[in-house]
């Protein structure tokens, strides 16, 4: 019997969003859900992040944006770890907040046909969020090495004087 059998309907919808929504939209929805939450509940969410995802040890419950980021990225990388670590009453509250968040609007296409199982993580790690730019390629394309005399040199060389 899978761990999600008998789960609350809002938690099931929340899991759908965690698995299918772009990370930037998901993070924005978490910020919107966490911000009005009482500090005591945010501290429980933070503890679940710390125990389930083993990260965020230096954060406080007031670091809403960072907690939202860790939940979204952590659940994408290690599906179910945060969900299992978060107590049910707090998880339901968080799930309900994320589901009704503006950033979640229109993100339930395909939900009706979903069997509830967690999808396999994508092998190539494709992320269609706004932050998914191949930054390392842009940096590599614009790097220029110059010798002491101002001419080009190879990476690792000491310029035209051979230092």
């Amino acid at each position: 019997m899978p761990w999600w059998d008998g789960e609350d309907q809002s938690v099931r919808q929340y899991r759908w969003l965690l698995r299918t929504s772009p990370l930037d939209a998901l993070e924005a929805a978490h910020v919107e859900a966490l911000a009005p939450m009482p500090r005591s509940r945010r501290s429980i969410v933070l503890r679940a992040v710390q125990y389930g995802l083993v990260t965020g040890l230096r954060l406080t419950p007031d670091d809403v944006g960072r907690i939202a980021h860790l939940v979204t990225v952590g659940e994408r990388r290690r599906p179910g770890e945060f969900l299992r670590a978060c107590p049910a009453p707090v998880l339901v509250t968080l799930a309900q907040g994320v589901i009704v968040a503006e950033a979640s609007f229109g993100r339930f296409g395909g939900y009706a046909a979903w069997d509830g199982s967690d999808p396999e993580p994508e092998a190539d790690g494709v992320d269609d969020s706004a932050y998914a730019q191949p930054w390392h390629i842009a940096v590599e394309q614009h790097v220029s090495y110059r010798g002491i005399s101002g001419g080009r040199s190879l990476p690792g060389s000491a310029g035209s004087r051979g230092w």
Side-chain angles (χ1 to χ4, degrees):
M1 179 159 118
W3 67 270
W4 62 81
D5 278 355
E7 74 185 330
D8 183 87
Q9 183 64 30
S10 58
V11 173
R12 179 182 165 89
Q13 292 172 341
Y14 177 57
R15 282 194 315 111
W16 167 262
L17 291 174
L18 285 170
R19 307 301 177 246
T20 61
S21 295
L23 289 176
D24 55 345
L26 196 54
E27 189 172 328
H30 276 83
V31 168
E32 189 176 331
L34 287 167
M37 194 179 282
R39 191 175 198 277
S40 60
R41 292 246 171 179
R42 283 196 314 263
S43 68
I44 295 170
V45 171
L46 176 58
R47 254 181 297 176
V49 167
Q50 292 167 341
Y51 291 124
L53 301 173
V54 193
T55 189
L57 296 176
R58 295 183 180 175
L59 298 181
T60 68
D62 299 322
D63 295 320
V64 173
R66 291 179 182 156
I67 295 170
H69 178 76
L70 292 177
V71 169
T72 58
V73 172
E75 265 299 310
R76 190 63 60 95
R77 290 180 182 165
R78 295 172 50 195
E81 296 296 324
F82 167 76
L83 298 175
R84 283 189 285 272
C86 193
V90 176
L91 181 59
V92 169
T93 302
L94 178 63
Q96 290 169 346
V98 169
I99 290 167
V100 299
E102 185 178 342
S104 298
F105 183 75
R107 303 227 178 260
F108 284 98
Y111 174 75
W114 183 46
D115 65 358
S117 63
D118 287 329
E120 293 294 322
E122 296 178 14
D124 58 359
V126 173
D127 179 9
D128 62 350
S129 70
Y131 303 109
Q133 301 301 318
W135 61 268
H136 61 281
I137 294 172
V139 170
E140 290 171 1
Q141 290 175 349
H142 297 289
V143 172
S144 175
Y145 296 94
R146 300 208 177 264
I148 291 177
S149 63
R152 292 186 165 267
S153 66
L154 298 173
S157 69
S160 60
R161 296 189 183 177
W163 294 349

